[in-house]
Amino acid sequence: MLGIVHPPLAPPVVTGLRAALPEGTVLTDPDVVGGYRFDRSNAPDAGWPLAVVRAADVADVVTTMRWASAHRIPVVPRGAGTSLAGGSLACDGCVVLSTERMRAITVDPAAGVAVAQPGALNAEVKAAASAAGLWYPPDPSSFEICSIGGNVATNAGGACCVKYGVTTDYVLGLEVVLADGRLLELGGRTVKDVAGYDLKRLFVGSEGTLGIVTEVTLRLRPAPPAAITMVAGFSDVGAAGRAVAAIAASSRPAALELMDQVSVRAVEDRIHMGLDTDCGALLLGRSDAGSEEIEAMVAHCRAEGATETYWTEDEDEGEQFMAARRMAIPAVERLGTVLIEDVGVPIPQVAALVEGVAALSAQHRTVIATVGHAGDGNFHPLVVFDRDDPDAVKRAGSAFGAVMDLAQSLGGTITGEHGVGTLKRPWLMTQLGEDVLGIQRQIKALFDPLGILNPGKAL
Ligand SMILES: Cc1cc2nc3c(=O)[nH]c(=O)nc-3n(C[C@H](O)[C@H](O)[C@H](O)COP(=O)(O)OP(=O)(O)OC[C@H]3O[C@@H](n4cnc5c(N)ncnc54)[C@H](O)[C@@H]3O)c2cc1C
C-alpha cells in the first residue's frame, strides 16, 4: 500500500511555489490532483501529490526544480501518463510536473529537423513533419495519446522501429532541466557530433530520474514509399515465431507484428473486422521495399506452416490491420485486469519465448494474451486476472515474474521499450548485475544528489 487514504492538505511550503509561478500553474484541488496520481500500468495504488504544476514553459520548470531542491520535495515528471510500467505514478508528498501545456512544434525542412516541446503528442509531431513533406518514424501503438517527452524518457519503440529505429535514433538534441534547476543543452541540429560523452543518449530512456526534458530536437526523414501489408495465419504460435526468425534473417520488413489467439479474439470481439479467430496466431508484415520482399515473407510463412496468407497493396486496408494490432491492449483490458509485460529476446529465441509464455499460461492457470513487435523480438504478454479473486491475483503475479525469468533465461531483457518504472524494479538486479546497477546509481546521484527526481522508479 503506497498511498494514504485521503489527500493531505497542501502545506504552507506550496504557497511559496504558487507565488513563484504564474497564476493557475499550481493546482491543489484534490479532485484535480487525483487525476494525476495514476498512469496506464493498472497499478493498484499510487501516492497523493501535494500539488500539480502545469508548466507552460522552461522557466516554470526551472522555478519548480529550484523550489523542489530547496525544500527537498520529490518531483514526478509527467507527459501524457500512458506509461505501462508505473513510471509516472505519483508518490506521497510529491509535486507532479506536467508538460501537457508545453506543446509547441517547429519544423525546419532545410535541416530536416523538428524542435518540439515535451508535451506535444507523438501524433502531433508526425503531423507537423508530414505537413513539411517529412516523416517522424517512431510509432508506439499509443502514438495518438502519448507525449514526445514521455517517448524520449522511455526511449519508446513501435511497429516501424524494426526497420527505422527507436526514439533514440532520432534525438539530435535535448534541453534538460536538472534537479537543482540548472539548464543543460545537449547535442543540437548536427547529424554527427562526438564532442565529449554523449549525455543526450544517457537522458533518453532515463525515465524522468535524471532531469526534465523541456525541448527535443528530432531528426526527420523523407516519407517512406507506400507499404504492402501481409497477413499470415498459423495454427500455433511457435510456428509464427519460427517464421519471424526466418523473415528477420533474410530481410528488414517495415513492420513485423504478432498477435496470438487470445489477442486476435479480443480485438475481433471489439471491432468485428473478420479476423480469423480460430488461428493460433497471426503475423502482420509490411514492406515498403516492393512486392519481392513481401513475396519472400509470404514464402517464409508458408514454409513454417502458415495455414492462410494474404497480402494487400491497398494502404487503407493495410492500415486497418495495423490499427487492429494497436487495439490489442485496450481490447484485452476488457477481459479483466491486465499486467502488461514488455520482454525482449534475441530473434532466434522468439519461438521459444512465445511457446514458453503459452506454457506458463497453462501452468499458472492464468490467461495470457501475447502481442508484440515480433521483428524486434519485443513482446507484450498481457497477464489477465480478476482483481477481486485473491488466488487469481497471486497466480497472475507469479506468471508475470515467470515471463521475465523466461526472457532472461533466453538471453533477453525484462523491458524492451516501456521502461522499468515501478513494476519491473524487483527484476532489475538480475537483469543488470550488481556492478552495472551500482554504477547506474552513482550516475543518478551525480545528476540528482538529493534523490528528488521520480523517486522509486527505474533504479
Ligand atoms: C495502448 C497503449 C499502447 C502502447 N504501445 C506502446 C508501444 O508500442 N511502444 C512503446 O514504447 N510504448 C507503448 N506504450 C507505453 C507508453 O505510451 C510509452 O511509454 C510512452 O512513451 C509514454 O509517454 P507519456 O507521455 O504517456 O509518458 P508518461 O506516462 O507521462 O511518463 C513516462 C515516463 O517518462 C517520464 N517523463 C515524461 N515526460 C518527461 C519529461 N518531459 N522529462 C523527463 N521525464 C519525463 C515520466 O516520469 C515516466 O517515467 C503504450 C501505452 C498504451 C496505453
Side-chain angles (χ1 to χ4, degrees), residues 77 79-83 87-88 141-142 147 151 153-154 156-157 207-208 213 373 417 454:
T82 67
S83 171
S88 39
S141 300
S142 51
S147 75
N151 291 176
T154 57
E207 301 189 49
V213 174
H373 309 302
E417 59 180 20
N454 220 2

Side-chain angles (χ1 to χ4, degrees), residues 39-40 76-84 86-89 97 99 118-119 121 139-143 145-159 206-209 211-214 325-326 329-330 333 340 342 373 378 380 417-419 421 454 457:
D39 57 22
R40 280 295 305 273
V76 177
R78 184 180 178 98
T82 67
S83 171
L84 297 175
S88 39
L89 293 177
L97 181 46
T99 62
L121 299 183
D139 58 346
S141 300
S142 51
F143 77 101
I145 53 170
C146 64
S147 75
I148 202 73
N151 291 176
V152 170
T154 57
N155 193 11
S206 63
E207 301 189 49
T209 62
I212 316 279
V213 174
T214 49
R325 157 64 188 91
R326 286 196 296 272
I329 292 177
E333 280 175 336
I340 300 168
D342 177 38
H373 309 302
N378 179 205
H380 306 308
E417 59 180 20
H418 295 165
N454 220 2
K457 314 289 170 52

Side-chain angles (χ1 to χ4, degrees), residues 415-438:
T415 174
E417 59 180 20
H418 295 165
V420 174
T422 50
L423 296 191
K424 305 226 152 182
R425 283 182 89 207
W427 287 268
L428 195 60
M429 176 63 92
T430 52
Q431 181 68 41
L432 298 181
E434 208 175 320
D435 286 344
V436 175
L437 188 56

Side-chain angles (χ1 to χ4, degrees), residues 237-324:
V237 74
R242 284 184 284 282
V244 168
I247 292 168
S250 58
S251 66
R252 190 54 71 93
L256 189 54
E257 299 284 310
L258 181 146
M259 299 172 73
D260 76 349
Q261 186 179 60
V262 183
S263 58
V264 170
R265 288 183 174 177
V267 169
E268 182 57 27
D269 264 2
R270 182 151 176 192
I271 57 176
H272 310 293
M273 70 177 281
L275 297 173
D276 178 4
T277 51
D278 290 329
C279 72
L282 279 185
L283 271 190
L284 300 179
R286 296 197 111 185
S287 171
D288 54 21
S291 56
E292 214 172 286
E293 187 176 61
I294 217 85
E295 281 164 17
M297 287 162 69
V298 168
H300 284 303
C301 290
R302 288 188 181 144
E304 296 300 340
T307 48
E308 194 185 351
T309 53
Y310 171 78
W311 55 277
T312 177
E313 293 187 14
D314 183 324
E315 285 269 326
D316 290 341
E317 194 185 4
E319 179 46 34
Q320 278 173 28
F321 284 116
M322 296 307 287

Side-chain angles (χ1 to χ4, degrees), residues 57-420:
D57 55 27
V58 62
D60 289 352
V61 177
V62 169
T63 302
T64 304
M65 293 317 303
R66 284 190 184 143
W67 169 87
S69 272
H71 299 284
R72 298 188 174 225
I73 304 286
V75 174
V76 177
R78 184 180 178 98
T82 67
S83 171
L84 297 175
S88 39
L89 293 177
C91 58
D92 281 334
C94 75
V95 161
V96 171
L97 181 46
S98 166
T99 62
E100 70 199 300
R101 290 204 293 164
M102 298 175 69
R103 296 286 265 268
I105 305 169
T106 54
V107 175
D108 177 351
V113 301
V115 179
Q117 287 187 320
L121 299 183
N122 175 300
E124 293 169 346
V125 174
K126 280 184 186 299
S130 172
L134 293 166
W135 182 39
Y136 175 66
D139 58 346
S141 300
S142 51
F143 77 101
E144 287 159 310
I145 53 170
C146 64
S147 75
I148 202 73
N151 291 176
V152 170
T154 57
N155 193 11
C160 79
C161 298
V162 60
K163 179 163 184 173
Y164 291 103
V166 296
T167 304
T168 193
D169 299 309
Y170 292 88
V171 177
L172 292 177
L174 287 181
E175 180 188 82
V176 182
V177 177
L178 296 185
D180 60 9
R182 273 179 296 164
L183 188 65
L184 299 188
E185 300 279 351
L186 304 170
R189 291 185 178 212
T190 52
V191 174
K192 294 171 92 177
D193 180 2
V194 292
Y197 295 145
D198 193 350
L199 292 189
K200 74 175 180 300
R201 283 211 181 225
L202 182 61
F203 276 87
V204 178
S206 63
E207 301 189 49
T209 62
L210 299 182
I212 316 279
V213 174
T214 49
E215 189 177 273
V216 194
T217 302
L218 297 162
R219 189 180 191 181
L220 305 176
R221 294 180 60 106
I228 309 175
T229 305
M230 173 213 75
V231 187
F234 294 83
S235 56
D236 74 284
V237 74
R242 284 184 284 282
V244 168
I247 292 168
S250 58
S251 66
R252 190 54 71 93
L256 189 54
E257 299 284 310
L258 181 146
M259 299 172 73
D260 76 349
Q261 186 179 60
V262 183
S263 58
V264 170
R265 288 183 174 177
V267 169
E268 182 57 27
D269 264 2
R270 182 151 176 192
I271 57 176
H272 310 293
M273 70 177 281
L275 297 173
D276 178 4
T277 51
D278 290 329
C279 72
L282 279 185
L283 271 190
L284 300 179
R286 296 197 111 185
S287 171
D288 54 21
S291 56
E292 214 172 286
E293 187 176 61
I294 217 85
E295 281 164 17
M297 287 162 69
V298 168
H300 284 303
C301 290
R302 288 188 181 144
E304 296 300 340
T307 48
E308 194 185 351
T309 53
Y310 171 78
W311 55 277
T312 177
E313 293 187 14
D314 183 324
E315 285 269 326
D316 290 341
E317 194 185 4
E319 179 46 34
Q320 278 173 28
F321 284 116
M322 296 307 287
R325 157 64 188 91
R326 286 196 296 272
M327 178 69 66
I329 292 177
V332 172
E333 280 175 336
R334 299 197 332 170
L335 304 179
T337 304
V338 175
L339 280 170
I340 300 168
E341 280 287 4
D342 177 38
V343 290
V345 291
I347 303 297
Q349 304 292 357
V350 163
L353 179 79
V354 291
E355 284 176 329
V357 169
L360 289 172
S361 169
Q363 193 184 323
H364 292 266
R365 291 181 291 117
T366 298
V367 173
I368 305 182
T370 296
V371 292
H373 309 302
D376 282 328
N378 179 205
F379 288 88
H380 306 308
L382 309 170
V383 180
V384 185
F385 62 100
D386 173 358
R387 68 164 52 176
D388 296 326
D389 175 349
D391 188 52
V393 173
K394 207 168 149 197
R395 281 184 277 118
S398 16
F400 187 66
V403 170
M404 280 183 276
D405 294 344
L406 171 66
Q408 287 181 325
S409 74
L410 295 170
T413 176
I414 57 171
T415 174
E417 59 180 20
H418 295 165
V420 174

